[in-house]
Amino acid sequence: MRRFLPWIIGAIVIFGIYSWVKGINNTAVTLNQDIEESWGNVQTSYQRRNDLIGNLVNTVKGAADFEKSTLTAVIEARAKATQTIIDPTNITPEKLAEFNKAQSGVSSSLSRLLVAVEQYPDLKANQNFLKLQDELASTENQILTARTRFNEAVKPYNTHIGTFPNSLFAGMFGFQKKAYFEAVAGAEKPVEVKF
């Protein structure tokens, strides 16, 4: 029995190390999946906004002889925002900043559109327009919530792969830190609307 003792101890140690490394990898995979799910929710919220913008623009066009430059800005910003795509497995700060910049263009154009609409009493009374305006406000809140939840999913993942000794194995398994959503430069200032 004594001659098998080193083999038993060795097997226990190897199994312990295997379980520990497997736990590091599996936890990182699970946390990464949470990030990808959260990113999908962010994209869904932005897609909802983009779908509503088309309806809003058509309603505004049909209800008012509206300033074309404002409508054009909204349409162009929406087109640019839908062209910016990020792979959720490779969310870098640079790609996230590019995505954020495109989406802030939509937000800025929408703000100018909604403020400028105040000049048109017929449009303000249009029930379809009012419903769309409420839907857009709700969607903006959903976007905020989805972005917050995305950041909340990124934090435990980055913490897990960044702490020692997990950081030693994270690189070997191909796990890299993910970027957080941050406000775009100038977001703290209100949108300026000129007539």
Side-chain angles (χ1 to χ4, degrees), residues 104-138:
S104 71
V106 174
S107 296
S108 176
S109 297
L110 268 179
S111 295
R112 284 193 300 275
L113 173 67
L114 293 174
V115 170
V117 158
E118 294 296 319
Q119 293 182 357
Y120 296 90
D122 291 342
L123 186 57
K124 286 191 294 185
N126 180 316
Q127 291 303 310
N128 289 336
F129 178 76
L130 293 174
K131 184 172 179 355
L132 282 169
Q133 197 172 10
D134 287 343
E135 287 291 325
L136 275 172
S138 170

Side-chain angles (χ1 to χ4, degrees), residues 5 18 29 57-59 71 74 87 90 93 108 119 135 145 147 154 165 195:
L5 190 59
Y18 166 78
V29 168
V57 168
N58 288 335
T59 302
L71 282 176
V74 172
D87 175 13
N90 189 23
S108 176
Q119 293 182 357
E135 287 291 325
T145 301
R147 288 174 62 162
V154 168
F195 295 106

Side-chain angles (χ1 to χ4, degrees), residues 4-17:
F4 293 114
L5 190 59
W7 289 101
I8 293 171
I9 291 172
I12 290 171
V13 168
I14 289 172
F15 181 75
I17 292 172

Side-chain angles (χ1 to χ4, degrees), residues 57-73:
V57 168
N58 288 335
T59 302
V60 171
K61 275 183 185 175
D65 180 18
F66 199 70
E67 181 187 339
K68 288 187 179 184
S69 64
T70 304
L71 282 176
T72 303

Side-chain angles (χ1 to χ4, degrees), residues 20-36 88-92 153-154 156-163 165-179:
W20 177 63
V21 172
K22 179 179 142 195
I24 291 171
N25 181 66
N26 290 351
T27 300
V29 168
T30 301
L31 293 172
N32 192 45
Q33 287 300 310
D34 290 344
I35 290 172
E36 290 188 25
T89 60
N90 189 23
I91 299 174
T92 63
V154 168
Y157 171 83
N158 283 348
T159 301
H160 177 74
I161 68 164
T163 55
N166 298 358
S167 57
L168 298 175
F169 298 103
M172 290 188 332
F173 295 136
F175 294 107
Q176 297 177 353
K177 284 189 139 189
K178 304 285 185 186

Side-chain angles (χ1 to χ4, degrees), residues 46 49-50 53 73-74 76-78 80-82 84 96-112 140 143 147 181-189 191:
Y46 279 120
R49 178 173 71 176
N50 289 334
I53 289 171
V74 172
E76 287 173 359
R78 176 184 174 227
K80 186 176 181 181
T82 57
T84 307
L96 198 55
E98 179 185 339
F99 180 84
N100 215 7
K101 184 178 176 186
Q103 294 301 331
S104 71
V106 174
S107 296
S108 176
S109 297
L110 268 179
S111 295
R112 284 193 300 275
E140 291 299 322
I143 290 170
R147 288 174 62 162
F181 256 112
E182 296 177 2
V184 293
E188 71 282 356
K189 299 175 188 168
V191 176

